[in-house]
């Protein structure tokens, strides 16, 4: 039940994240107060998110290619989950990495669309 709750909450957060991005894209050049529409992240956040997203994409591809993923989190630092031994933890960490890569990529996409509007 806890695993189902974890995946359901991750999908729910992703849905609300997507709706917020769509609201920003549909808002136009100015918001209700006449201020220019801001992206999801600023210039420094864009660079940080791009670097973190690239690292997580590399970690995800490495995990899929090698069949092992290092544990994500403080409580299990140094542990490596393999596809053969701990399948549940392996796929949970791969799902988390994929979710982060998609979320970071979407935030960068929305920000670039807002910055380069015609």
């Amino acid at each position: 039940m806890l695993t189902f709750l974890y995946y359901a909450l991750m999908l729910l957060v992703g849905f609300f994240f997507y709706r917020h991005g769509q609201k920003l894209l549909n808002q136009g050049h100015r918001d209700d107060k006449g201020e220019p529409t801001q992206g999801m992240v600023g210039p420094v956040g864009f660079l940080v998110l791009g670097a973190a997203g690239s690292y997580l994409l590399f970690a995800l591809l490495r995990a899929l290619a090698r069949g092992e993923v290092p544990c994500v989190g403080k409580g299990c630092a140094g542990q490596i989950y393999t596809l053969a031994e701990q399948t549940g933890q392996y796929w949970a960490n791969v799902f988390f990495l994929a979710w982060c890569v998609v979320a970071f990529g979407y935030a960068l996409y929305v920000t670039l669309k807002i910055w380069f509007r015609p």
Side-chain angles (χ1 to χ4, degrees):
M1 182 66 185
L2 189 60
T3 304
F4 172 74
L5 185 63
Y6 167 74
Y7 288 118
L9 285 175
M10 290 293 282
L11 292 174
L12 190 64
V13 167
F15 175 73
F16 285 119
F17 193 67
Y18 169 77
R19 293 292 302 149
H20 176 66
Q22 288 299 307
K23 186 183 87 164
L24 287 175
L25 287 175
N26 293 332
Q27 201 170 43
H29 292 288
R30 303 251 177 216
D31 61 5
D32 298 336
K33 299 176 186 172
E35 300 284 326
T37 302
Q38 298 294 320
M40 290 184 127
V41 293
V44 174
F46 186 83
L47 294 175
V48 170
L49 220 56
S54 297
Y55 171 75
L56 291 176
L57 178 63
F58 173 75
L60 175 65
L61 294 175
R62 182 175 180 259
L64 292 174
R66 295 185 73 186
E68 62 184 34
V69 61
C71 180
V72 181
K74 287 177 115 176
C76 55
Q79 294 179 7
I80 294 180
Y81 296 126
T82 61
L83 187 55
E85 295 175 8
Q86 298 141 334
T87 306
Q89 293 93 344
Y90 172 81
W91 286 113
N93 281 297
V94 167
F95 174 73
F96 179 74
L97 287 172
W99 188 91
C100 285
V101 167
V102 169
F104 290 178
Y106 184 68
L108 296 176
Y109 166 76
V110 169
T111 302
L112 281 175
K113 287 288 274 188
I114 289 174
W115 283 353
F116 294 110
R117 284 185 174 161

